[in-house]
Amino acid sequence: MLSSDAFGAGPGPADDRCPGCRRPLPAEARFCAACGTARAELRGPTTAGRKIVTVLFCDLVGSTALSGTLDPEALRGVTLRYFDAMRAAIEEHGGTVEKFIGDAVMAVFGVPAVREDDARRAVAAALGMLAALRALNEELDAEPGIRLAIRIGVNTGRVVTGSDASARQALVSGEVVNVAARLEQNAAPGEALIGPDTLRAAGPGVRTAEVGPLQLRGKAQAVTAHRLLGLDRGMPDSLRVDLPFVGRKPELSLLEREFTKAAERRSARLVVLGGEPGQGKTRLLRHWLGSTGARRFGAGRCRPPGERAGLQPLADAVTSLLARSPDRPHPPGLDVLAQGLLADGTPTPSLADTGAALVEVLAALADPAPVVLVVDDAHWAAPLLLDLLDRVVAALADAPVLVAVLGRPELLDVRPAGAHRVLTLGGLPDAQALRLARALSDAPPAHLLERAGGNPLHLEQLLAAPAGAGGDGVPLTLQTLIGARLDALDPAERRAVDLACVLGREFAAAELAALDTGGPDLSAALRRLVRHRLVVSDGASFRFASGVVQEVAYECLSKQGRAERHERAAALRSVRAAGPAALGGHLERAHRYRAELGLAGARTEGLRRAAASSLAEAGARAAARTDPGWAVDLLTRATGLLRPGEDGRLPAARRLGEALLALGRVEPGRALLAEVGASAEDPVEAAHARLSLAAVGQQRAPAPVARQTLPVFERAGDQLGQARACLRLAQQEQTDGRHAAATRLLARALRHAERSDGEQERASALGAIGVSLWRGPVPAPAAVARCRELLAAQGRGRRAVRVTLNCPLAVLLALGDDEAGAAACLAEAGHHAERLGYAEAAAFLPLFGATVAALGGRPREALELLTAAAAAARELGGGALLSGALLDTARLRLDLGERAPARAALAALEEERARTGERLSFAAVAERDGLLARLAATGRDRDAALKLARGAVAEAGRTDSPILQGLAAADLARTAALLGLERERALAATAAAGRFTAKGHGPGVRLAEALADHHPRREAVS
C-alpha cells in the first residue's frame, strides 16, 4: 500500500489556494488573478465545528491484481497519474482532497468554506472523475496496456470539521463519511452512487436511477441510493411557478418609477435590489417584468468565482436582449462584442473598446422604447463586471436603459451603491406570509411562520420538508444555503453569530460582551451583520432575521463549544433575570452536551443538579399559574435529570402527574401520582398525590381522602394543600346539594389558595362558588351581582378565573331569560379555555352550554352538547361530569317524549355508579327518582311511580337547592297528571312554582304555571 506522502498530503494551509478556482494564491496577492476572488473571501474553520458538507469516496477496482501484473516502479507511475487525474477533477469543481488511503481518494466539498452548491459540485466532480479516467485509460491502453476502473460514493450531511496544521489537511468525521464509503463499496465498476440527501441538495437537473434500498454495514436502516447518470449544466432555476406573488407593492412601485424616469429623461439608471437569500429578489423582478408584455429585457446570472468568465453574466443578458429585439438595427459595436464579450465573456480587444461597444449597442436597442438589463446574483460578480456596468451607465446619457443589479446584502459591503438607487427586501409581513403559506399548505403551523421570519424561501422549504427531515429540524437545502453565508463571514462577525445563537433568537450587545471570553469589541461586527440582513436591530436589541438562521448557526457549533457557552450564559444577569426556566434551559444544555461528550465529573454533576432545580422551580410556577402545557415540558425535563431519592424529585414528579391529568393524559399522570403517593419519603407530597388521585377516581372518593389529608397539610402549614382539601370537601357538599355549607368551605379554600398563589385552586374555588350561587338558595339576581363582583375583584389578568366564573354566570343569566348575556359569558369562557389547554374544559364547557340551551328552549341543541360532554368526560375517566351529563340527557329525552333514550341514559348512569362504587348523592337520587317516577307512570305502575316521585321530593328536601326542590316537585306534578291524580298534581305544581319563584327561575316558573293548568309544556328545565 502506498502512503499519502508519495502524492502530497492534501491541500496546504487555507490561504495557499483561491477558494474560487483552487489555483495557488501567492501570499502577497489580494485578489486571484485568474478569477478575481478576493483573499478576504477565503475563510475556514480553525477549531472544531459542525457543518453540512458533501463527502466523495473513490477507489480503484482490482488494484491487487494490478500490482501482480506491473513492475512496482511502473505501478507507482500509473498510480501517480491516476491520483493526479482524480485530484484535478475534484479541485476543478472546488473540492478538497482530504486524504489518500492506499489507492482510494477521499474528498470533501464544504471545506474550508461551505458553498450552497457543494452537493452539485460533488456530483459534477464525480462525473468529471469518470470522464478523466476514460481519458487516462486511452493512454494506459496504449502503454503499458492496462485499463483502470473506479467506483465512487457521494453523501451529504452534517460532519464535525477541524484542522490539523501538522498534517496539512482538513479533518472531517461523522456518519456522513462512513455512509459515503459504504456507497462507494456498493457501487459497480465505473459507477457512482449518491445518497438521497445529496440528490435533494444538488437541486434540479441531476439524472439518476434509483438503487436499493441498500443494507449498508453499520446502518440500522436501509439507504436508498441513486446511480448517477448525468447532470444538466448551468445554474438550476429553483423558483416555483405555481406559487402566488404576494405583497411587495412598495418595491414594485419603486421599480416602475425608476423605469418611468429612464424613459422620460432618456438616460440610464441603475437600481440595486438587495436582500438575503430567499426574500424573493428574482421573483419580484420577474413579476414586474411580466406585468406588461411591452417591456424588453435581457438577464444574466453570476456564478461563484472561478466557474465562468468574469463578464459572462453580462454577455448572457445582452444575448437574451438581442433575442427579444430581432428587428433592431445592427450597430458596428455589435461586431466588437461578438469577437469578445458575446463569444467568451472576456473584454476583448480591451475593456475600453468593450465598454464603448456595449454603450453603442444598448443605445440602439433602447431606441425608441426603453430596455431593462438584469444582472442577478451580483454578490458573485467579478469586480471587472461591476466596473464595466458603472462605466456603461455613466456613458448612456441619452439612452433609456434601466440596469437592475440583484444581489445579497454583502454586495454593498464590497461595492457601495454610491448614487444608485438601492432597494432592500426584508421579510414579508405576517399577513402576507400567512397568505403564501396557505398556498403551500392547508393548515400551516404557526411556529413555522415564526421560524421563517417572513422569508418566502425559508417558509416554502420548512413547509415542504417531510416530518422529521433532518436531525435538527431544518431542511438540508436551507442548512447548506445559510451555512454558506455563515462561512463567508469575517472572524469577528462569525464570533458574534456563534455567541448570539446560544442566547436564542433575540439578544443584546451587552450580553455578547459578557459572554465573550476576550477579543475585540463586537459592535462593528453587529452593524455589519445587520447590513448582511442576518441580524435585525430595533436600536436597543438585536434579533436573528429568522429563527432558521439562528438554528443553523447553533447547529454549526461544536458540542464542546455549546456546552461552554451555555454554562457561561447561565451566569449572565439578563438570563437570571428572565427566570428559572431560562436559567435551567442553559444549564440543562450545558450538562447534556458535556454528558454526550463523555465529560463526567463534579462539574457535569453540578450542572445536572442545578439545571434540575431551576427547571423544577419553573415548572412549579407554570403549574401554579395555570399553564399546564409549559408545566409538563419543564417538569418532564426536571424529572429526567433527577435520580430516585434525590431532593426535589418527588415534588417535581407529583406536579408533573397533576399537569398531565390537566391535559387529559390520564394514564401517565396516574402512574406518577401513584408512585409519589406510595412513597414514605415525604408525607406532604404523598398526601398531595393521594388527593389528586382521588379526584380522578383512582383511590377513595375525594371527600374521605380530603378529610384524611387536611390534618397533614395543617401540621405542615401547607396552604396549597389546605386549599385543595377544603375544595374537595366543598365539592362533596355541593354534590349532596348543601350549598350553604359548601360556600363556607369554599371561602376557606379561596383564602388558602390566595396565600399560596395557587391560581388553579383560586379558579376552582371561585368557579365552585359560582355553581353554588346558581344551584343554591341565593336568588338569581343577587347571585348574578355576586358573580360579577367576584369577576371584577379576582378575574383581571386571570384566564382560569374568567373561565370558571363565566360558566355559572351564563346559567344564572339564562334563569333570568338574558340569552344574549348568557351567550357572551359562554363565548368568553370558551376563548380563555382554548388558550389554557385544560382537557376538562372539553367536558364542562358543553355541559354548561347545554344547560343554557335547554333553559332557552333549544332541547336538540342541548342534546348535541351533552353528547360531546359525555364523550369528553369518559375520556377523562368518568366521574361527576359524566353523571351530570347523563342525568341532563335523560331529562331532556323524557321532556321530548323519547322514553327509550331516556331509559338508556339512566341505565348508563347506573353502570357508571357501579363502575366507580360510589353512592349517588342526595341531589342525584332526587333527580334520578323523579325521572324514574315519570317513566313508571307512563307504564301505569301507580304505586311505584308515586313512591319514587314522593321519595324524590323528600330527597330534594334534604338539600338547600330551590332549583332541585322545584324540579322534584315538578316531576311529582307530572307523575300525578299521568296517573290522573288532580289534587296531588295541583299541590305539587304550586310547590314547584314557589321554589322557582324564590330562586328567580323564569323558565321554571313558566313550567310550574303550565303544570298548574294541567297543560305541561315540553320544555327542558334545569
Side-chain angles (χ1 to χ4, degrees), residues 200-236:
R200 282 193 289 270
V206 182
R207 300 191 301 279
T208 63
E210 189 172 302
V211 178
L214 303 176
Q215 291 293 338
L216 303 183
R217 190 174 67 186
K219 288 284 291 181
Q221 296 181 337
V223 174
T224 299
H226 301 267
R227 182 184 299 111
L228 180 60
L229 302 178
L231 176 66
D232 295 339
R233 296 295 176 177
M235 188 74 167

mmCIF file of all heavy atoms in Angstrom, residues 200-236:
data_model
loop_
_atom_site.group_PDB
_atom_site.id
_atom_site.type_symbol
_atom_site.label_atom_id
_atom_site.label_comp_id
_atom_site.label_asym_id
_atom_site.label_seq_id
_atom_site.Cartn_x
_atom_site.Cartn_y
_atom_site.Cartn_z
ATOM 1 N N ARG A 200 -31.139 15.500 -3.042
ATOM 2 C CA ARG A 200 -32.002 16.637 -2.696
ATOM 3 C C ARG A 200 -31.210 17.941 -2.709
ATOM 4 O O ARG A 200 -31.692 18.958 -3.204
ATOM 5 C CB ARG A 200 -32.626 16.417 -1.313
ATOM 6 C CG ARG A 200 -33.801 15.452 -1.315
ATOM 7 C CD ARG A 200 -34.550 15.526 0.018
ATOM 8 N NE ARG A 200 -33.773 14.947 1.104
ATOM 9 C CZ ARG A 200 -33.831 13.672 1.461
ATOM 10 N NH1 ARG A 200 -34.628 12.840 0.817
ATOM 11 N NH2 ARG A 200 -33.105 13.213 2.458
ATOM 12 N N ALA A 201 -30.011 17.902 -2.152
ATOM 13 C CA ALA A 201 -29.233 19.132 -2.034
ATOM 14 C C ALA A 201 -28.666 19.601 -3.367
ATOM 15 O O ALA A 201 -28.416 20.799 -3.543
ATOM 16 C CB ALA A 201 -28.090 18.924 -1.036
ATOM 17 N N ALA A 202 -28.472 18.693 -4.312
ATOM 18 C CA ALA A 202 -27.868 19.067 -5.594
ATOM 19 C C ALA A 202 -28.833 19.851 -6.472
ATOM 20 O O ALA A 202 -28.415 20.522 -7.409
ATOM 21 C CB ALA A 202 -27.385 17.821 -6.329
ATOM 22 N N GLY A 203 -30.125 19.760 -6.206
ATOM 23 C CA GLY A 203 -31.086 20.541 -6.956
ATOM 24 C C GLY A 203 -31.503 19.889 -8.252
ATOM 25 O O GLY A 203 -31.149 18.749 -8.553
ATOM 26 N N PRO A 204 -32.270 20.636 -9.075
ATOM 27 C CA PRO A 204 -32.804 20.068 -10.320
ATOM 28 C C PRO A 204 -31.689 19.745 -11.313
ATOM 29 O O PRO A 204 -30.588 20.290 -11.257
ATOM 30 C CB PRO A 204 -33.705 21.186 -10.864
ATOM 31 C CG PRO A 204 -33.923 22.126 -9.729
ATOM 32 C CD PRO A 204 -32.717 22.018 -8.846
ATOM 33 N N GLY A 205 -31.994 18.827 -12.205
ATOM 34 C CA GLY A 205 -31.077 18.542 -13.305
ATOM 35 C C GLY A 205 -30.130 17.396 -13.071
ATOM 36 O O GLY A 205 -29.304 17.099 -13.945
ATOM 37 N N VAL A 206 -30.187 16.733 -11.907
ATOM 38 C CA VAL A 206 -29.337 15.569 -11.658
ATOM 39 C C VAL A 206 -30.093 14.342 -12.149
ATOM 40 O O VAL A 206 -31.170 14.022 -11.638
ATOM 41 C CB VAL A 206 -28.987 15.431 -10.170
ATOM 42 C CG1 VAL A 206 -28.052 14.241 -9.959
ATOM 43 C CG2 VAL A 206 -28.339 16.710 -9.654
ATOM 44 N N ARG A 207 -29.535 13.650 -13.126
ATOM 45 C CA ARG A 207 -30.200 12.473 -13.700
ATOM 46 C C ARG A 207 -29.663 11.220 -13.013
ATOM 47 O O ARG A 207 -28.452 10.988 -12.968
ATOM 48 C CB ARG A 207 -29.964 12.405 -15.205
ATOM 49 C CG ARG A 207 -30.502 13.640 -15.943
ATOM 50 C CD ARG A 207 -30.492 13.442 -17.451
ATOM 51 N NE ARG A 207 -29.163 13.179 -17.984
ATOM 52 C CZ ARG A 207 -28.260 14.110 -18.246
ATOM 53 N NH1 ARG A 207 -28.542 15.387 -18.005
ATOM 54 N NH2 ARG A 207 -27.084 13.784 -18.740
ATOM 55 N N THR A 208 -30.584 10.421 -12.467
ATOM 56 C CA THR A 208 -30.192 9.241 -11.689
ATOM 57 C C THR A 208 -31.145 8.094 -11.963
ATOM 58 O O THR A 208 -32.212 8.276 -12.552
ATOM 59 C CB THR A 208 -30.196 9.541 -10.176
ATOM 60 O OG1 THR A 208 -31.539 9.859 -9.774
ATOM 61 C CG2 THR A 208 -29.279 10.687 -9.821
ATOM 62 N N ALA A 209 -30.756 6.935 -11.483
ATOM 63 C CA ALA A 209 -31.621 5.759 -11.429
ATOM 64 C C ALA A 209 -31.568 5.223 -10.012
ATOM 65 O O ALA A 209 -30.480 5.064 -9.435
ATOM 66 C CB ALA A 209 -31.164 4.693 -12.427
ATOM 67 N N GLU A 210 -32.724 4.953 -9.432
ATOM 68 C CA GLU A 210 -32.769 4.523 -8.035
ATOM 69 C C GLU A 210 -32.169 3.129 -7.881
ATOM 70 O O GLU A 210 -32.402 2.235 -8.697
ATOM 71 C CB GLU A 210 -34.210 4.552 -7.530
ATOM 72 C CG GLU A 210 -34.344 4.327 -6.034
ATOM 73 C CD GLU A 210 -35.756 4.545 -5.538
ATOM 74 O OE1 GLU A 210 -36.282 5.661 -5.744
ATOM 75 O OE2 GLU A 210 -36.316 3.596 -4.968
ATOM 76 N N VAL A 211 -31.401 2.949 -6.809
ATOM 77 C CA VAL A 211 -30.766 1.672 -6.494
ATOM 78 C C VAL A 211 -31.090 1.338 -5.045
ATOM 79 O O VAL A 211 -30.920 2.161 -4.160
ATOM 80 C CB VAL A 211 -29.229 1.737 -6.671
ATOM 81 C CG1 VAL A 211 -28.596 0.403 -6.295
ATOM 82 C CG2 VAL A 211 -28.873 2.111 -8.091
ATOM 83 N N GLY A 212 -31.495 0.100 -4.809
ATOM 84 C CA GLY A 212 -31.713 -0.276 -3.414
ATOM 85 C C GLY A 212 -33.168 -0.447 -3.088
ATOM 86 O O GLY A 212 -33.970 -0.712 -3.986
ATOM 87 N N PRO A 213 -33.492 -0.365 -1.824
ATOM 88 C CA PRO A 213 -32.660 0.108 -0.710
ATOM 89 C C PRO A 213 -31.502 -0.832 -0.388
ATOM 90 O O PRO A 213 -31.624 -2.038 -0.535
ATOM 91 C CB PRO A 213 -33.645 0.204 0.456
ATOM 92 C CG PRO A 213 -34.748 -0.748 0.110
ATOM 93 C CD PRO A 213 -34.851 -0.755 -1.383
ATOM 94 N N LEU A 214 -30.382 -0.215 0.033
ATOM 95 C CA LEU A 214 -29.171 -0.966 0.341
ATOM 96 C C LEU A 214 -29.015 -1.113 1.843
ATOM 97 O O LEU A 214 -29.239 -0.167 2.594
ATOM 98 C CB LEU A 214 -27.941 -0.248 -0.230
ATOM 99 C CG LEU A 214 -27.920 0.033 -1.739
ATOM 100 C CD1 LEU A 214 -26.675 0.837 -2.088
ATOM 101 C CD2 LEU A 214 -27.960 -1.273 -2.523
ATOM 102 N N GLN A 215 -28.629 -2.290 2.277
ATOM 103 C CA GLN A 215 -28.295 -2.514 3.674
ATOM 104 C C GLN A 215 -26.798 -2.257 3.841
ATOM 105 O O GLN A 215 -25.964 -3.090 3.489
ATOM 106 C CB GLN A 215 -28.649 -3.943 4.098
ATOM 107 C CG GLN A 215 -30.142 -4.217 4.162
ATOM 108 C CD GLN A 215 -30.825 -3.429 5.275
ATOM 109 O OE1 GLN A 215 -30.179 -3.000 6.232
ATOM 110 N NE2 GLN A 215 -32.132 -3.231 5.145
ATOM 111 N N LEU A 216 -26.464 -1.077 4.324
ATOM 112 C CA LEU A 216 -25.062 -0.703 4.459
ATOM 113 C C LEU A 216 -24.549 -1.103 5.830
ATOM 114 O O LEU A 216 -25.244 -0.939 6.836
ATOM 115 C CB LEU A 216 -24.889 0.812 4.267
ATOM 116 C CG LEU A 216 -25.411 1.385 2.937
ATOM 117 C CD1 LEU A 216 -25.114 2.872 2.857
ATOM 118 C CD2 LEU A 216 -24.801 0.658 1.750
ATOM 119 N N ARG A 217 -23.345 -1.585 5.868
ATOM 120 C CA ARG A 217 -22.765 -2.029 7.125
ATOM 121 C C ARG A 217 -22.688 -0.840 8.093
ATOM 122 O O ARG A 217 -22.226 0.238 7.743
ATOM 123 C CB ARG A 217 -21.367 -2.599 6.886
ATOM 124 C CG ARG A 217 -20.773 -3.299 8.113
ATOM 125 C CD ARG A 217 -19.464 -3.963 7.756
ATOM 126 N NE ARG A 217 -18.448 -2.962 7.426
ATOM 127 C CZ ARG A 217 -17.238 -3.264 6.955
ATOM 128 N NH1 ARG A 217 -16.930 -4.531 6.717
ATOM 129 N NH2 ARG A 217 -16.370 -2.327 6.684
ATOM 130 N N GLY A 218 -23.154 -1.084 9.321
ATOM 131 C CA GLY A 218 -23.149 -0.041 10.337
ATOM 132 C C GLY A 218 -24.400 0.815 10.355
ATOM 133 O O GLY A 218 -24.555 1.665 11.223
ATOM 134 N N LYS A 219 -25.322 0.624 9.377
ATOM 135 C CA LYS A 219 -26.573 1.390 9.330
ATOM 136 C C LYS A 219 -27.728 0.460 9.660
ATOM 137 O O LYS A 219 -27.918 -0.585 9.028
ATOM 138 C CB LYS A 219 -26.782 1.981 7.933
ATOM 139 C CG LYS A 219 -25.847 3.117 7.604
ATOM 140 C CD LYS A 219 -26.251 4.403 8.295
ATOM 141 C CE LYS A 219 -27.533 4.960 7.738
ATOM 142 N NZ LYS A 219 -27.916 6.235 8.399
ATOM 143 N N ALA A 220 -28.530 0.840 10.662
ATOM 144 C CA ALA A 220 -29.662 0.003 11.059
ATOM 145 C C ALA A 220 -30.748 0.020 9.988
ATOM 146 O O ALA A 220 -31.396 -0.992 9.732
ATOM 147 C CB ALA A 220 -30.223 0.485 12.394
ATOM 148 N N GLN A 221 -30.953 1.173 9.354
ATOM 149 C CA GLN A 221 -31.985 1.294 8.338
ATOM 150 C C GLN A 221 -31.372 1.274 6.948
ATOM 151 O O GLN A 221 -30.238 1.732 6.738
ATOM 152 C CB GLN A 221 -32.779 2.588 8.537
ATOM 153 C CG GLN A 221 -33.560 2.619 9.854
ATOM 154 C CD GLN A 221 -34.357 3.900 9.992
ATOM 155 O OE1 GLN A 221 -34.055 4.901 9.386
ATOM 156 N NE2 GLN A 221 -35.398 3.862 10.827
ATOM 157 N N ALA A 222 -32.141 0.725 6.010
ATOM 158 C CA ALA A 222 -31.669 0.660 4.633
ATOM 159 C C ALA A 222 -31.570 2.069 4.050
ATOM 160 O O ALA A 222 -32.295 2.985 4.439
ATOM 161 C CB ALA A 222 -32.610 -0.201 3.795
ATOM 162 N N VAL A 223 -30.651 2.235 3.100
ATOM 163 C CA VAL A 223 -30.422 3.516 2.442
ATOM 164 C C VAL A 223 -30.780 3.368 0.968
ATOM 165 O O VAL A 223 -30.307 2.441 0.299
ATOM 166 C CB VAL A 223 -28.952 3.960 2.582
ATOM 167 C CG1 VAL A 223 -28.692 5.222 1.759
ATOM 168 C CG2 VAL A 223 -28.608 4.201 4.045
ATOM 169 N N THR A 224 -31.621 4.251 0.477
ATOM 170 C CA THR A 224 -31.941 4.259 -0.946
ATOM 171 C C THR A 224 -30.895 5.094 -1.673
ATOM 172 O O THR A 224 -30.812 6.306 -1.464
ATOM 173 C CB THR A 224 -33.344 4.843 -1.189
ATOM 174 O OG1 THR A 224 -34.300 4.034 -0.512
ATOM 175 C CG2 THR A 224 -33.669 4.862 -2.673
ATOM 176 N N ALA A 225 -30.091 4.435 -2.490
ATOM 177 C CA ALA A 225 -29.042 5.118 -3.238
ATOM 178 C C ALA A 225 -29.547 5.450 -4.641
ATOM 179 O O ALA A 225 -30.611 4.984 -5.075
ATOM 180 C CB ALA A 225 -27.794 4.249 -3.310
ATOM 181 N N HIS A 226 -28.770 6.246 -5.349
ATOM 182 C CA HIS A 226 -29.133 6.645 -6.710
ATOM 183 C C HIS A 226 -27.891 6.556 -7.581
ATOM 184 O O HIS A 226 -26.847 7.141 -7.261
ATOM 185 C CB HIS A 226 -29.693 8.074 -6.715
ATOM 186 C CG HIS A 226 -30.908 8.239 -5.845
ATOM 187 N ND1 HIS A 226 -32.183 8.111 -6.318
ATOM 188 C CD2 HIS A 226 -31.024 8.480 -4.513
ATOM 189 C CE1 HIS A 226 -33.042 8.281 -5.331
ATOM 190 N NE2 HIS A 226 -32.351 8.514 -4.217
ATOM 191 N N ARG A 227 -28.015 5.813 -8.671
ATOM 192 C CA ARG A 227 -26.907 5.699 -9.628
ATOM 193 C C ARG A 227 -26.864 6.971 -10.451
ATOM 194 O O ARG A 227 -27.853 7.382 -11.063
ATOM 195 C CB ARG A 227 -27.089 4.485 -10.530
ATOM 196 C CG ARG A 227 -25.941 4.276 -11.522
ATOM 197 C CD ARG A 227 -26.211 3.125 -12.468
ATOM 198 N NE ARG A 227 -26.372 1.881 -11.729
ATOM 199 C CZ ARG A 227 -27.520 1.227 -11.622
ATOM 200 N NH1 ARG A 227 -28.627 1.704 -12.186
ATOM 201 N NH2 ARG A 227 -27.590 0.100 -10.942
ATOM 202 N N LEU A 228 -25.713 7.622 -10.493
ATOM 203 C CA LEU A 228 -25.556 8.893 -11.191
ATOM 204 C C LEU A 228 -25.432 8.642 -12.689
ATOM 205 O O LEU A 228 -24.542 7.912 -13.135
ATOM 206 C CB LEU A 228 -24.322 9.632 -10.652
ATOM 207 C CG LEU A 228 -24.007 10.991 -11.272
ATOM 208 C CD1 LEU A 228 -25.174 11.960 -11.064
ATOM 209 C CD2 LEU A 228 -22.729 11.561 -10.636
ATOM 210 N N LEU A 229 -26.317 9.285 -13.439
ATOM 211 C CA LEU A 229 -26.318 9.115 -14.897
ATOM 212 C C LEU A 229 -25.839 10.357 -15.625
ATOM 213 O O LEU A 229 -25.242 10.251 -16.701
ATOM 214 C CB LEU A 229 -27.732 8.766 -15.379
ATOM 215 C CG LEU A 229 -28.363 7.510 -14.774
ATOM 216 C CD1 LEU A 229 -29.775 7.329 -15.302
ATOM 217 C CD2 LEU A 229 -27.508 6.282 -15.056
ATOM 218 N N GLY A 230 -26.091 11.526 -15.087
ATOM 219 C CA GLY A 230 -25.673 12.746 -15.764
ATOM 220 C C GLY A 230 -26.117 13.968 -14.986
ATOM 221 O O GLY A 230 -26.826 13.877 -13.977
ATOM 222 N N LEU A 231 -25.699 15.137 -15.477
ATOM 223 C CA LEU A 231 -26.001 16.401 -14.806
ATOM 224 C C LEU A 231 -26.224 17.466 -15.865
ATOM 225 O O LEU A 231 -25.369 17.674 -16.739
ATOM 226 C CB LEU A 231 -24.854 16.814 -13.882
ATOM 227 C CG LEU A 231 -24.967 18.163 -13.177
ATOM 228 C CD1 LEU A 231 -26.112 18.153 -12.188
ATOM 229 C CD2 LEU A 231 -23.658 18.504 -12.469
ATOM 230 N N ASP A 232 -27.375 18.111 -15.785
ATOM 231 C CA ASP A 232 -27.641 19.224 -16.691
ATOM 232 C C ASP A 232 -26.789 20.404 -16.281
ATOM 233 O O ASP A 232 -26.773 20.800 -15.109
ATOM 234 C CB ASP A 232 -29.119 19.613 -16.646
ATOM 235 C CG ASP A 232 -30.023 18.500 -17.171
ATOM 236 O OD1 ASP A 232 -29.517 17.637 -17.918
ATOM 237 O OD2 ASP A 232 -31.219 18.502 -16.820
ATOM 238 N N ARG A 233 -26.072 20.968 -17.216
ATOM 239 C CA ARG A 233 -25.186 22.083 -16.907
ATOM 240 C C ARG A 233 -25.975 23.366 -16.722
ATOM 241 O O ARG A 233 -27.131 23.493 -17.124
ATOM 242 C CB ARG A 233 -24.159 22.263 -18.037
ATOM 243 C CG ARG A 233 -23.227 21.057 -18.181
ATOM 244 C CD ARG A 233 -22.364 20.890 -16.951
ATOM 245 N NE ARG A 233 -21.523 19.686 -17.028
ATOM 246 C CZ ARG A 233 -20.641 19.352 -16.097
ATOM 247 N NH1 ARG A 233 -20.501 20.128 -15.023
ATOM 248 N NH2 ARG A 233 -19.916 18.255 -16.218
ATOM 249 N N GLY A 234 -25.309 24.346 -16.157
ATOM 250 C CA GLY A 234 -25.952 25.630 -15.935
ATOM 251 C C GLY A 234 -26.529 25.722 -14.541
ATOM 252 O O GLY A 234 -26.641 24.744 -13.813
ATOM 253 N N MET A 235 -26.926 26.915 -14.185
ATOM 254 C CA MET A 235 -27.471 27.184 -12.852
ATOM 255 C C MET A 235 -28.921 26.741 -12.793
ATOM 256 O O MET A 235 -29.747 27.213 -13.581
ATOM 257 C CB MET A 235 -27.379 28.690 -12.556
ATOM 258 C CG MET A 235 -27.728 29.081 -11.149
ATOM 259 S SD MET A 235 -26.434 28.644 -9.997
ATOM 260 C CE MET A 235 -26.959 29.576 -8.548
ATOM 261 N N PRO A 236 -29.288 25.810 -11.902
ATOM 262 C CA PRO A 236 -30.685 25.376 -11.835
ATOM 263 C C PRO A 236 -31.581 26.498 -11.343
ATOM 264 O O PRO A 236 -31.205 27.280 -10.480
ATOM 265 C CB PRO A 236 -30.647 24.218 -10.839
ATOM 266 C CG PRO A 236 -29.457 24.492 -9.985
ATOM 267 C CD PRO A 236 -28.449 25.146 -10.893
#
